Amino acid sequence: MTTQLHNEVPASTLSVQADAQQMIEQARADRVETVWDRLRAQEPQCGYCVLGVSCRNCSMGPCRIDPFGVGPTKGVCGADADVIVARNLGRTIAAGSSAHSDHGRDILEVFDAVAHGEASGYEIADEAKLRRLAAELGVDVDGRDTLDVAGDVADVLFADYGSRKEAISFVKRAPRPRAAKWAELGITPRGIDRENVEMLHRTHMGVDNDYVNILLHGLRTSLSDGWGGSMIATELSDILFGTPKPIMSQVNLGVLRADQVNIAMHGHNPVLSDVIVDAAADADLLELAASLGATGINVVGLCCTGNEILMRRGVPIAGNHLMQELIMCTGALEAMVVDYQCIMPSVTEVAKCYHTQVISTADKAKFPGAIHISFDPKRGREIGREIVRKAVEAYPNRNPGRVRIPGEPVRMMGGFSVEAIVGALGGSVAPLVDAIAAGTIRGAAAVVGCNNPKVPQDLGHLELTRRLIENDILVVVTGCAAVANGKAGHMVPEASAMAGPGLRTVCEALGIPPVLHMGSCVDNSRVLVLAAALANHLGVDIDALPLAGAAPEWYSEKAVAIGAYVVASGIETVLGVQPPIFGSPNVVKLLAGDLAGVVGAKFDVETDPRDAALLIRRHIEGKRAALGLPALAAGEITDERQLAGAPHV
Ligand code: BF8
Ligand code: SF4
């Protein structure tokens, strides 16, 4: 390893979680370089890139704009800071949207293979949902065979990826005024691939030279993700693997078992993880494990693949994004099985220091140093067994003297699909709307997104969430934010004791936590569906509702796409990490100000989660006032700090 280790930085400043702190110390003892060491090695990071004013879109460049106006104010082609920042942001949205949507397509291909009897290890798990979806999409369901219906549903959704349509199918799920607003602005998503390709076209040199026009297309591109690719991924995953229902599980590195073969499923696509969970229960493989001295085969999750199998099958989750290197430092991980997205290239390097075997499975995501077992849904069951066998065979390589599994796991509840939430409410969103109208619950916030080593791990998620629930704001979580809250004990029914009096009463009555796990990052589409249901129930647009979004520790291009479609859908969103747009005051003014007059919502940037909580609280109070709902009594803000003067955009 070549990077200098930064052992002088206290582990407690890098993560707020005890398991991470202990494993950071272990990594240091083992001379293993981690993400935090590499971040230090990169500092100071390029100021032009931080501000978004560097461009390498063509070979007349690379170019950069001097934010102080002393050096160049235009690139070689004549692009100014506004165009360069907007183009960069547009490409970021397209990359994030493409990642989610390509994941959705992969699920769709497996779904199509199931419909045509060509898949092994898969079936239609939720036929009722399939038939509901088919009817919604205009597919004839009466008296038809389930697989025939599935085949027609697949065809409709494949067409959503192309460009033959005026609007993708799920635009119809948006409240009417919202869809009308998109049409009026010319940002109705027409085809998933089309919007992403068009963004790459527009941001080629000399195409779209109007930063407002680029950013509007950025919103359209993101909408093709939220109401398109991600929504397809969620809906079809539910149909193939089951629609989540409340389920108890466990979280943190303590879910690893010292006496068992441990397999971590890392990445995003449930297509692979689901067959691995099945294969881990295979009698032959359990026997093989026993013959090698292990008492069982323990599958755990990491990141969003972990969320997928936790939500549906209660599989324990070992951690979120910044735990992917540290999990190997336990010395107890036989295999890390990866599909794609958010898997650091470094995992194979860390694995070399232990006995962990990294197994890659997606032909579009290879890792030098890993064993590659190409995934094919036609042989899903067989491949699942092959992978688990590799993990079991690695067990004798474990050095028991190096096994350090930190602490005990924490209980957490997952499984809050929209169907489950509506079910818990007795079959309609009416009780939730009534509770919001009465002020028992002030509103709701979606806290989503990643870990970023620039933020002490999980601090942003936990501070923000805790303050929101104290203020009677229901929190829904996805992705790494969900795992962070699980680790902190916020996601068990008993955590209602941490909530304000109104939210506590509702949670106790329903037996639910004040922080609801809605799934992986593609499952942010569930948040859109829930928001649309609330808006439709009240007969208003989404932007009238007392809702907010937050991504306190975001790092990924996917998170930018999510933020953009959430805002374009009418939900104000607070980012906890500065996006690379500050080199263009015009772009900042548009995204953090004027956009509210266009789509009814805007972005805020607030790096202090305490101030972010206040910002959200004030925003929700403003929406309540506009709806004529009762305001919270003065003096009930639980934070002594005042918003005025806080460093926010
Ligand atoms: O899709 S929250 S770090 S794992 S990008 Fe990645 Fe971010 Fe985690 Fe899931 Ni989402
Ligand atoms: Fe420079 Fe323009 Fe080329 Fe970008 S597109 S690298 S600003 S010349």
Side-chain angles (χ1 to χ4, degrees):
M1 303 233 169
T2 51
T3 302
Q4 188 197 339
L5 301 184
H6 288 268
N7 296 358
E8 74 286 0
V9 182
S12 60
T13 65
L14 305 182
S15 172
V16 300
Q17 305 284 9
D19 63 344
Q21 292 169 7
Q22 196 177 324
M23 283 303 107
I24 290 169
E25 298 297 358
Q26 188 63 48
R28 288 170 172 177
D30 292 345
R31 305 289 304 153
V32 170
E33 167 200 300
T34 65
V35 64
W36 291 279
D37 299 309
R38 295 189 297 273
L39 173 61
R40 295 286 173 281
Q42 286 289 336
E43 288 170 341
Q45 290 177 315
C46 169
Y48 296 103
C49 293
V50 166
L51 295 173
V53 287
S54 53
C55 179
R56 49 172 191 78
N57 285 13
C58 84
S59 76
M60 292 191 287
C63 306
R64 72 241 186 285
I65 304 300
D66 183 346
F68 305 107
V70 179
T73 56
K74 299 231 166 81
V76 176
C77 66
D80 60 12
D82 298 340
V83 170
I84 290 176
V85 168
R87 283 197 307 218
N88 289 340
L89 187 64
R91 286 194 167 201
T92 299
I93 291 172
S97 173
S98 297
H100 281 150
S101 298
D102 201 42
H103 162 177
R105 187 195 337 258
D106 287 339
I107 308 264
L108 175 54
E109 287 187 334
V110 173
F111 175 74
D112 187 56
V114 171
H116 292 94
E118 294 165 357
S120 144
Y122 304 96
E123 56 187 16
I124 303 294
D126 190 340
E127 186 175 339
K129 182 156 184 168
L130 168 65
R131 289 185 178 269
R132 277 202 310 277
L133 179 66
E136 181 186 349
L137 295 173
V139 169
D140 193 10
V141 290
D142 288 339
R144 293 187 69 204
D145 176 74
T146 303
L147 294 185
D148 288 346
V149 172
D152 286 357
V153 166
D155 288 344
V156 172
L157 297 177
F158 274 125
D160 274 346
Y161 279 88
S163 60
R164 295 195 301 276
K165 300 193 160 194
E166 285 183 6
I168 56 175
S169 300
F170 291 136
V171 164
K172 289 208 186 83
R173 289 185 169 185
R176 254 195 212 143
R178 182 58 28 186
K181 196 177 288 280
W182 294 338
E184 182 196 336
L185 292 167
I187 60 169
T188 304
R190 300 156 295 178
I192 298 162
D193 291 344
R194 174 182 186 156
E195 307 309 356
N196 287 289
V197 169
E198 184 170 318
M199 179 55 88
L200 294 183
H201 177 194
R202 284 181 185 230
T203 53
H204 186 280
M205 199 295 281
V207 183
D208 202 345
N209 292 319
D210 178 334
Y211 76 94
V212 177
N213 210 38
I214 295 170
L215 294 174
L216 280 173
H217 184 69
L219 297 184
R220 173 157 55 181
T221 305
S222 72
L223 290 170
S224 81
D225 171 4
W227 298 85
S230 279
M231 204 169 275
I232 289 171
T234 296
E235 297 294 90
L236 296 185
S237 296
D238 284 357
I239 290 169
L240 285 173
F241 308 117
T243 303
K245 299 194 246 327
I247 190 166
M248 285 307 300
S249 187
Q250 296 186 318
V251 59
N252 80 24
L253 288 182
V255 302
L256 296 173
R257 297 286 306 265
D259 55 350
Q260 298 198 359
V261 174
N262 291 305
I263 304 175
M265 302 300 307
H266 181 16
H268 285 78
N269 195 322
V271 157
L272 172 74
S273 39
D274 212 74
V275 290
I276 300 268
V277 174
D278 288 340
D282 184 290
D284 291 349
L285 292 168
L286 285 167
E287 205 173 297
L288 176 64
S291 73
L292 295 171
T295 63
I297 303 171
N298 182 37
V299 178
V300 302
L302 271 175
C303 290
C304 282
T305 281
N307 283 320
E308 297 275 359
I309 46 180
L310 183 149
M311 287 283 284
R312 297 193 177 86
R313 308 188 60 160
V315 172
I317 189 159
N320 43 6
H321 184 52
L322 291 183
M323 301 310 290
Q324 61 184 291
E325 295 175 314
L326 300 181
I327 190 173
M328 289 184 268
C329 304
T330 61
L333 189 67
E334 275 59 53
M336 175 178 283
V337 184
V338 301
D339 47 74
Y340 44 51
Q341 298 172 18
C342 302
I343 300 149
M344 293 184 194
S346 63
V347 292
T348 45
E349 277 300 304
V350 178
K352 282 183 199 160
C353 303
Y354 302 93
H355 74 297
T356 309
Q357 184 64 64
V358 179
I359 302 173
S360 58
T361 55
D363 290 348
K364 64 184 88 177
K366 292 200 174 175
F367 293 71
I371 295 180
H372 187 70
I373 300 181
S374 179
F375 185 70
D376 174 0
K378 294 191 178 75
R379 296 171 45 242
R381 190 170 284 133
E382 184 189 334
I383 292 171
R385 279 201 286 254
E386 186 185 343
I387 290 171
V388 173
R389 177 178 294 275
K390 282 260 176 316
V392 172
E393 286 168 352
Y395 186 74
N397 301 336
R398 185 193 285 189
N399 177 349
R402 291 186 77 193
V403 171
R404 308 254 186 290
I405 300 175
E408 289 296 312
V410 173
R411 288 164 59 242
M412 75 183 285
M413 187 184 255
F416 289 94
S417 57
V418 176
E419 290 87 336
I421 292 173
V422 170
L425 293 168
S428 146
V429 292
L432 179 56
V433 172
D434 293 347
I436 291 173
T440 320
I441 295 177
R442 299 269 134 205
V447 178
V448 308
C450 324
N451 288 148
N452 184 323
K454 294 176 177 176
V455 179
Q457 187 206 16
D458 294 349
L459 176 70
H461 295 305
L462 302 187
E463 276 286 327
L464 175 61
T465 303
R466 193 172 56 73
R467 282 161 197 268
L468 293 176
I469 62 174
E470 278 172 1
N471 280 282
D472 288 326
I473 295 168
L474 175 70
V475 173
V476 298
V477 286
T478 59
C480 291
V483 186
N485 277 287
K487 282 185 268 179
H490 292 171
M491 292 167 77
V492 284
E494 303 87 286
S496 56
M498 302 168 79
L503 180 58
R504 186 186 317 150
T505 310
V506 173
C507 291
E508 283 173 355
L510 297 174
I512 59 171
V515 181
L516 301 181
H517 192 339
M518 292 192 79
S520 63
C521 279
V522 292
D523 292 337
N524 284 308
S525 63
R526 299 191 203 275
V527 176
L528 299 179
V529 171
L530 184 60
L534 295 173
N536 286 336
H537 185 83
L538 280 168
V540 299
D541 194 355
I542 293 174
D543 63 347
L545 298 171
L547 303 179
E553 303 178 30
W554 74 276
Y555 93 88
S556 144
E557 291 164 314
K558 292 179 289 172
V560 181
I562 293 167
Y565 72 64
V566 168
V567 167
S569 299
I571 301 173
E572 188 108 346
T573 294
V574 186
L575 304 177
V577 176
Q578 183 179 311
I581 60 170
F582 284 83
S584 165
N586 284 331
V587 169
V588 173
K589 181 169 174 294
L590 176 62
L591 296 180
D594 300 346
L595 207 51
V598 181
V599 294
K602 61 180 172 60
F603 286 98
D604 300 288
V605 179
E606 177 48 74
T607 53
D608 186 328
R610 296 167 298 182
D611 291 327
L614 277 171
L615 201 60
I616 289 173
R617 165 65 193 280
R618 296 277 168 96
H619 168 74
I620 282 178
E621 288 300 336
K623 293 293 176 186
R624 293 183 61 83
L627 283 168
L629 301 177
L632 195 60
E636 281 193 39
I637 292 179
T638 56
D639 197 298
E640 69 291 348
R641 296 157 60 100
Q642 290 302 305
L643 190 56
H648 64 92
V649 175

